[in-house]
Amino acid sequence: MDSIYKALTEFESSGLLLRDFFIASDSHSLKSAYLALNQAASALTEEEWLAVEYDFNALFVGPGKLKAAPFASVYLEEAGLVMGKTTLNLREFMEQLGLSLNQENNIPDDHISCVLELAVLLSVNARQSTEYTEAFIHYVNEYVLSWVPVYCEKIKINAQTAPLRHVAERLSDWLDELKTRVSI
């Protein structure tokens, strides 16, 4: 699958940079991912980076109730729980396309990082196959757009630091571009 990523468009590369940010697992990967999204962030002080890390954890990781849970099922399920029917439906959709998640990170299939990566993968493949074009359009319209805009708003409302608000704006802009790509 690595070879598929050699011919990415700027839009697709941007999606993967966002993926990397949302899947950051420690302060080093968070800082690295954010610097890839915004080179001007290199001017942030250590104290500011600590505030960003705290904000990231409060929004997406925990402990405690997440201010902007990064899981589709939280937004699409009545009970708002992770790993619900929505997650299983996504897994079934991927299986129909012959895809599965690398379980290396032990995150649910409906985590925003997985959602972004699948959108990029479908975008890349849609350029070569009508099967993927239809799957890409369906995935974006029926799944991504049904919850990610609300997720972006949750981040914007609850973020305490400028970098997290910046990422929410980047994700919103990326979604706008994604919408245009499936409406062509």
Side-chain angles (χ1 to χ4, degrees):
M1 182 155 66
D2 290 334
S3 63
I4 197 169
Y5 294 115
K6 290 181 181 173
L8 295 177
T9 65
E10 184 177 329
F11 165 76
E12 292 158 347
S13 293
S14 181
L16 293 182
L17 291 175
L18 287 162
R19 173 210 57 192
D20 293 346
F21 177 82
F22 287 109
I23 201 167
S25 59
D26 57 33
S27 59
H28 176 73
S29 61
L30 178 64
K31 186 175 184 178
S32 177
Y34 187 65
L35 287 170
L37 286 167
N38 180 9
Q39 283 84 27
S42 62
L44 292 175
T45 66
E46 283 304 312
E47 186 177 308
E48 290 169 321
W49 278 116
L50 283 173
V52 170
E53 185 177 3
Y54 179 83
D55 202 14
F56 181 91
N57 287 326
L59 288 165
F60 314 126
V61 180
K65 184 174 172 89
L66 303 180
K67 294 179 180 179
F71 308 101
S73 51
V74 170
Y75 301 91
L76 301 175
E77 302 272 332
E78 192 172 312
L81 301 175
V82 178
M83 290 297 295
K85 185 178 178 187
T86 302
T87 308
L88 299 176
N89 289 343
L90 177 60
R91 189 174 292 166
E92 184 178 304
F93 172 76
M94 291 186 335
E95 285 173 0
Q96 289 172 353
L97 293 170
L99 304 171
S100 65
L101 277 184
N102 176 351
Q103 292 299 325
E104 179 178 305
N105 294 315
N106 291 326
I107 57 173
D109 306 46
D110 68 340
H111 187 275
I112 186 64
S113 62
C114 300
V115 170
L116 293 169
E117 184 165 8
L118 182 55
V120 169
L121 181 64
L122 291 173
S123 174
V124 169
N125 281 293
R127 288 188 252 132
Q128 300 165 12
S129 166
T130 57
E131 173 193 359
Y132 282 103
T133 301
E134 292 169 12
F136 180 48
I137 292 168
H138 173 77
Y139 177 68
V140 171
N141 288 327
E142 302 300 320
Y143 186 75
V144 176
L145 296 178
S146 68
W147 75 277
V148 179
V150 175
Y151 173 63
C152 288
E153 287 306 310
K154 284 251 191 203
I155 299 169
K156 290 175 189 176
I157 290 167
N158 292 295
Q160 300 297 307
T161 59
L164 273 289
R165 288 188 295 273
H166 176 257
V167 169
E169 281 301 321
R170 286 284 303 262
L171 182 56
S172 291
D173 293 346
W174 193 83
L175 281 175
D176 289 343
E177 175 69 18
L178 184 64
K179 285 183 222 177
T180 64
R181 289 175 180 267
V182 296
S183 65
I184 295 174

